[in-house]
Amino acid sequence: MTRNRIAGRRVQRLTGHVRRAEPEVAVASDHRAQVEELLADYRRSREQLATMQQTLAAISESASSSDGTVMATVGGRGTLTDLTFSDDAYLRHRPSDLAKLVVRTVCAAAAKASETANRTVSPLLPVQTDPAALLDGRADLTEAELTPKRPSRPPVDDDSFEDVSWLDNPRRKM
């Protein structure tokens, strides 16, 4: 069997007959177009992801206590970025009450920041995806999948003294 290339077409000579195949150029250009389309989709997805990350990083939500003595600001990832007290906050509240007021105010600001982050992420997610779960790192994982697995320890042989530190023995008397 011999093969010759003539005008971009593959020609095979088999027992005196000539058979012409489809042009290789068309097949290669079809694949090239598909690859270019996939690359364009990938670039668009990366641009959307970068924009979303920049928007999440720029989120800043604040909340004030009902009496205005505490103001908390939280970023898009739930990090406390600012906490301010009015001049009379220490005069109006006992320390334990002020601490509780700070916690409530920070939680309110965090809830607002979380809502804003959820609205930012939602348009880029599949329809059934919970944005809050995704941002919390839970996504569609079950509780069992989220619970850290503890390495199992082999049963201890009471007659064996391997791996026993006499210094750490709580029954040792001094």
Side-chain angles (χ1 to χ4, degrees), residues 15-33:
T15 63
H17 293 80
V18 176
R19 188 177 85 192
R20 295 179 187 244
E22 290 294 320
E24 289 179 1
V25 176
V27 172
S29 65
D30 285 346
H31 290 300
R32 189 170 296 128

Side-chain angles (χ1 to χ4, degrees), residues 56-168:
L56 285 174
I59 290 173
S60 181
E61 294 289 347
S62 297
S64 294
S65 62
S66 58
D67 63 359
T69 57
V70 177
M71 184 167 162
T73 303
V74 174
R77 303 202 194 294
T79 305
L80 180 65
T81 58
D82 191 31
L83 182 64
T84 57
F85 299 95
S86 67
D87 291 337
D88 64 342
Y90 297 106
L91 299 173
R92 294 175 68 180
H93 300 284
R94 293 190 335 234
S96 62
D97 294 336
L98 185 58
K100 291 174 186 173
L101 189 60
V102 166
V103 170
R104 282 196 306 269
T105 307
V106 169
C107 286
K112 288 172 69 175
S114 178
E115 288 175 26
T116 303
N118 291 347
R119 284 193 308 273
T120 299
V121 173
S122 289
L124 300 177
L125 298 177
V127 176
Q128 298 298 324
T129 304
D130 178 12
L134 179 75
L135 290 170
D136 288 343
R138 293 180 285 120
D140 61 349
L141 300 174
T142 65
E143 195 62 38
E145 292 171 310
L146 291 171
T147 305
K149 292 184 173 110
R150 294 182 182 162
S152 61
R153 301 180 98 188
V156 177
D157 180 10
D158 289 338
D159 295 336
S160 172
F161 293 105
E162 288 183 34
D163 301 324
V164 174
S165 171
W166 296 100
L167 297 174
D168 295 334

